[in-house]
Amino acid sequence: MPSQGVKLYVQDKHVVLDNGILQVTISNPDGIVTAIQYNGIDNLLAVENQEADRGYWDLVWNLAGSKGTKGKFDRIEATSFEVIVENEDQVELSFTRTWNPSLEGKVVPLNIEKRFIMLRNSSGFYTYAIYEHLKEWPAFNLDRFRVAFKLRKDKFHYMAIADNRQRYMPLPDDRLPYRSQTLAYPEAVLLVDPMETEFRGEVDDKYQYSCENKDNRVHGWICNDPPVGFWQITPSDEFRSAGPHKQNLTSHVGPTTLAVMHSVHYSGEDLILKFGSNEAWKKVFGPIFIYLNSLSDAGGNLLSLWEDAKQQMRIEVQDWPYTFPASQDFPQSHQRGNVSGRLLVKDRYVCKDDIPANGAYVGLAPPGDVGSWQSEVKGYQFWTRADEDGYFCINNIWTGDYNLYAWVPGFIGDYKYDVIITPSAGYDIYMGDLVYEPPRDGPTLWEIGVPDRTAAEFYVPDPSPMFVNSLYVNHPDRFRQYGLWERYADLYPDRDLVYTVGVSDYTKDWFFAQVTRKNDDNTYQGTTWQIKFRLDCAANETETYKLRLALATAHAAELQVRVNDDGKSPLFSSGQIGKDNTIARHGIHGLCRLYHVGIPGNLLLEGDNTIFLTQPKSTSPFQGIMYDYIRLEGPASSNGNKKP
């Protein structure tokens, strides 16, 4: 029996897409999803909400020159509707809002077109958007944009964002003031009188469910009765900002599911899109896929819905770039290019031969400085991982100008190929062998941690028994527990951390974040950590040793370095760095920073030495630094590579 084709019903205030599997109702001309009918449920979306608060694109913007990351919230409501494609195999709809000078200061100066696609035999629908700023339009800042779906709280109670990150979730009512206690910031609450007693005493915070772009492919919710899954699938990162390691929100109590295209979370003001006057810009975001699935047997295994959603995600990734979007602004596969090559690492203090960059992250991003990809927010990025021999292949790249960037697990720093690369439609570019020489002056005398751009290998304490999320008990992501910054003072009540090279174990003795210490009067004081080490022979007083400090994140912090005397002026100061807010938001990294501190040999002693790492200023519990990796190198004239 032939399947039903896609049908479109245009009404006065709504349009309805129907392919016989699901029906999607969208407001006309606003372009907001007001209802999704599927598997006997008349509407999967939050029927108690106003229609405009169910399924929508939104953004936060501000006037040029504005400070901070707060702005004007805009749930994007279109003003015109157009049918782009209508046949039995596909319907594609356009909802557009066009800017003009009469809207200056009131509406973000962008032309915004939202599109929705339904295909025959597809258990879901697609949405994408095209943002455009014309050269003559006003300057402005753009803080965040995303797609949000708010589901029925009486239906969807089980959330899944990874195989080991899924659970039954509290109800949104549990966060109401008379059922919860707000903690250090509004997003985090302690559930004191939840409707379901199993959640009593737990912390709920949407930031505990953040995810790196590279891992953020599918997440969503499961309804028990009838057994139905609602999933957001993002098949590509090309339109997301700031590279594969940027962390964004996913799903959280609501029940809410987000597809975040851009945010300043875990990075701060460095990631605000700042458009100047005379700056033209256009970018396509998406398509993303909203996938629905169900069980024919009401008594079946609900978690099979998650397994099926992952399989559908793999299909969507394989099909990228899609062939069906009708916009000329979205290039299909034959309109894109490919870049391949091999990356090697040259570090003669590790190996006399070049080393294959096993597992390296290799990507194309708009031209910039070394490492600029992690704060690049306006263009497209394309990333892959090298194989064990260092070979990489980056496919389906938009035509344009790029630099090739990379970083290699196990080695500090960033690689950049200085020559501009310009992929052409339908062509392959082979780069040959590329060689990355990481920063290195001399042999390793000692090291702390692993250069992997995170602080995950360091000691992460158990949370206070008062502030537990049961999902993260004995979990690899234990750093996602609330309030871990306060545990530092519990573990070091009288003095700060002291780490002894050759004796201490960084997995047990190096606290994951150098944070502030809370005083009895609710003020905060800075902290000074010590690294103690021995030199078995006298340092060469005329030469320079090098201290490499790789930071995984920083927030309103200053890092000072002293050697063998904590009282004198610092040998190095970073100045105030970072607005990442990673510590408060349960991340284990934000924007990475790398500092190289020269230590004159005449400051070092034969025998015992101490390096002091000080964060001097303190006004907040969230100020602090997470280290990725620390290494002391001998001068280039040193012999061998033995650690003392």
Side-chain angles (χ1 to χ4, degrees):
M1 181 177 179
S3 61
Q4 175 183 315
V6 186
K7 296 180 180 179
L8 172 65
Y9 304 94
V10 179
Q11 303 166 356
D12 182 30
K13 295 185 178 181
H14 299 89
V15 296
V16 179
L17 296 165
D18 185 350
N19 66 359
I21 301 172
L22 71 155
Q23 287 185 355
V24 178
T25 302
I26 306 171
S27 61
N28 181 9
D30 302 335
I32 291 174
V33 181
T34 64
I36 301 173
Q37 181 178 321
Y38 175 74
N39 197 45
I41 303 177
D42 59 348
N43 195 351
L44 304 182
L45 302 183
V47 293
E48 66 276 12
N49 290 9
Q50 296 293 323
E51 282 197 347
D53 191 28
R54 296 179 184 174
Y56 52 86
W57 288 76
D58 69 24
L59 58 81
V60 174
W61 71 287
N62 217 328
L63 302 176
S66 300
K67 301 297 183 182
T69 59
K70 304 296 183 182
K72 305 176 183 181
F73 176 77
D74 181 359
R75 185 180 288 116
I76 302 164
E77 296 182 356
T79 55
S80 65
F81 160 68
E82 181 182 0
V83 179
I84 303 298
V85 176
E86 183 180 8
N87 57 55
E88 289 193 342
D89 293 321
Q90 174 176 342
V91 171
E92 181 165 347
L93 307 178
S94 168
F95 299 85
T96 303
R97 186 176 75 188
T98 304
W99 193 85
N100 66 71
S102 70
L103 301 173
E104 186 167 354
K106 304 173 186 176
V107 176
V108 61
L110 290 170
N111 286 337
I112 297 178
E113 181 181 13
K114 302 180 291 184
R115 293 205 178 190
F116 296 87
I117 302 172
M118 181 175 282
L119 304 178
R120 182 199 287 263
N121 294 330
S122 175
S123 188
F125 64 96
Y126 300 83
T127 183
Y128 65 110
I130 304 162
Y131 290 11
E132 182 179 28
H133 180 258
L134 300 187
K135 184 177 181 180
E136 61 270 21
W137 286 357
F140 74 104
N141 294 346
L142 199 53
D143 171 283
R144 181 198 80 199
F145 36 95
R146 64 187 189 178
V147 186
F149 286 94
K150 298 180 178 179
L151 308 181
R152 286 179 60 161
K153 64 182 182 180
D154 63 327
K155 292 289 186 182
F156 292 92
H157 300 149
Y158 192 89
M159 186 184 79
I161 55 180
D163 286 340
N164 64 351
R165 297 177 71 191
Q166 50 185 262
R167 59 168 292 178
Y168 282 101
M169 296 291 286
L171 294 168
D173 306 66
D174 295 335
R175 294 179 55 91
L176 294 173
Y178 63 88
R179 292 191 178 276
S180 67
Q181 173 190 335
T182 301
L183 298 175
Y185 45 88
E187 293 88 348
V189 300
L190 179 65
L191 305 177
V192 295
D193 186 25
M195 299 178 70
E196 298 289 341
T197 57
E198 64 184 286
F199 301 118
R200 180 174 290 125
E202 285 208 35
V203 170
D204 179 65
D205 182 351
K206 65 182 180 180
Y207 294 112
Q208 293 179 317
Y209 305 105
S210 297
C211 187
E212 288 189 354
N213 284 341
K214 66 181 177 62
D215 302 318
N216 188 358
R217 287 280 177 265
V218 56
H219 58 88
W221 293 82
I222 292 174
C223 166
N224 285 12
D225 185 20
V228 164
F230 182 101
W231 309 103
Q232 188 278 123
I233 294 176
T234 302
S236 171
D237 290 334
E238 66 182 40
F239 45 82
R240 286 171 164 161
S241 58
H245 308 292
K246 172 68 174 71
Q247 297 170 89
N248 283 308
L249 296 173
T250 57
S251 292
H252 58 78
V253 164
T256 298
T257 289
L258 303 175
V260 179
M261 311 298 174
H262 170 77
S263 81
V264 298
H265 292 147
Y266 306 94
S267 53
E269 293 183 42
D270 288 343
L271 259 67
I272 292 177
L273 280 80
K274 297 180 179 179
F275 293 94
S277 55
N278 298 315
E279 182 176 359
W281 178 73
K282 192 175 192 179
K283 190 171 180 180
V284 179
F285 298 95
I288 64 165
F289 184 42
I290 301 303
Y291 177 61
L292 310 177
N293 58 5
S294 61
L295 295 178
S296 56
D297 179 7
N301 182 5
L302 288 174
L303 292 183
S304 66
L305 295 173
W306 165 246
E307 295 299 323
D308 176 70
K310 290 192 298 178
Q311 177 59 29
Q312 187 63 41
M313 174 271 291
R314 289 187 282 267
I315 293 171
E316 301 298 323
V317 170
Q318 184 65 35
D319 288 346
W320 187 271
Y322 296 135
T323 59
F324 51 80
S327 173
Q328 296 300 309
D329 292 310
F330 181 77
Q332 298 186 6
S333 182
H334 69 277
Q335 298 170 300
R336 302 175 178 230
N338 306 304
V339 171
S340 61
R342 188 188 192 202
L343 183 65
L344 303 169
V345 179
K346 181 179 181 180
D347 187 336
R348 294 298 179 254
Y349 288 95
V350 174
C351 182
K352 63 182 179 64
D353 299 319
D354 290 347
I355 305 165
N358 182 9
Y361 290 85
V362 186
L364 295 183
D369 298 328
V370 173
S372 61
W373 56 269
Q374 68 171 344
S375 57
E376 206 294 315
V377 292
K378 293 181 180 177
Y380 300 92
Q381 298 198 31
F382 305 86
W383 287 83
T384 191
R385 295 199 71 176
D387 67 17
E388 61 183 8
D389 296 317
Y391 289 99
F392 63 88
C393 187
I394 307 170
N395 296 321
N396 296 309
I397 306 159
W398 289 56
T399 58
D401 293 338
Y402 301 91
N403 278 132
L404 186 143
Y405 303 91
W407 75 271
V408 187
F411 295 90
I412 60 173
D414 277 270
Y415 173 78
K416 172 192 166 188
Y417 184 74
D418 287 327
V419 178
I420 298 295
I421 300 171
T422 307
S424 300
Y427 285 89
D428 297 335
I429 297 175
Y430 181 66
M431 306 291 295
D433 285 355
L434 308 175
V435 179
Y436 171 48
E437 295 189 48
R440 168 75 76 172
D441 284 359
T444 298
L445 300 183
W446 51 259
E447 59 190 347
I448 301 172
V450 178
D452 59 0
R453 305 177 81 94
T454 84
E457 68 269 29
F458 298 125
Y459 177 70
V460 178
D462 291 331
S464 164
M466 295 176 58
F467 303 122
V468 173
N469 181 325
S470 60
L471 175 62
Y472 296 114
V473 174
N474 298 321
H475 192 281
D477 290 358
R478 56 190 294 134
F479 57 83
R480 298 189 188 278
Q481 296 279 14
Y482 173 86
L484 298 182
W485 57 87
E486 295 181 343
R487 299 285 288 121
Y488 176 75
D490 295 337
L491 295 169
Y492 299 90
D494 303 317
R495 63 184 181 90
D496 286 327
L497 183 149
V498 177
Y499 185 93
T500 303
V501 173
V503 176
S504 301
D505 178 347
Y506 64 75
T507 67
K508 300 175 182 177
D509 303 316
W510 189 272
F511 198 77
F512 78 103
Q514 184 172 359
V515 292
T516 60
R517 180 189 299 278
K518 188 176 182 179
N519 297 317
D520 292 339
D521 60 358
N522 289 326
T523 61
Y524 297 88
Q525 68 183 60
T527 54
T528 296
W529 290 8
Q530 300 178 44
I531 302 173
K532 293 184 175 294
F533 62 98
R534 289 185 56 82
L535 292 180
D536 292 335
C537 56
N540 189 329
E541 294 188 357
T542 63
E543 301 224 50
T544 299
Y545 293 66
K546 192 61 63 74
L547 181 67
R548 310 284 185 187
L549 294 163
L551 307 188
T553 190
H555 182 71
E558 178 187 356
L559 175 59
Q560 296 178 353
V561 177
R562 294 174 175 83
V563 178
N564 285 330
D565 185 351
D566 190 29
K568 63 184 179 182
S569 298
L571 180 66
F572 166 83
S573 173
S574 65
Q576 183 163 310
I577 51 174
K579 290 288 186 180
D580 300 7
N581 212 15
T582 301
I583 294 168
R585 288 173 172 159
H586 327 296
I588 201 65
H589 70 85
L591 295 178
C592 298
R593 298 165 176 86
L594 179 61
Y595 297 103
H596 314 283
V597 182
I599 301 177
N602 60 9
L603 295 182
L604 297 172
L605 309 171
E606 181 177 356
D608 294 335
N609 292 267
T610 304
I611 290 176
F612 299 89
L613 303 176
T614 298
Q615 185 193 176
K617 301 175 183 177
S618 180
T619 59
S620 161
F622 308 131
Q623 283 181 269
I625 292 165
M626 292 184 191
Y627 298 92
D628 164 30
Y629 175 74
I630 303 174
R631 181 173 76 210
L632 181 64
E633 298 170 8
S637 61
S638 300
N639 293 321
N641 188 31
K642 294 182 179 179
K643 302 172 188 177

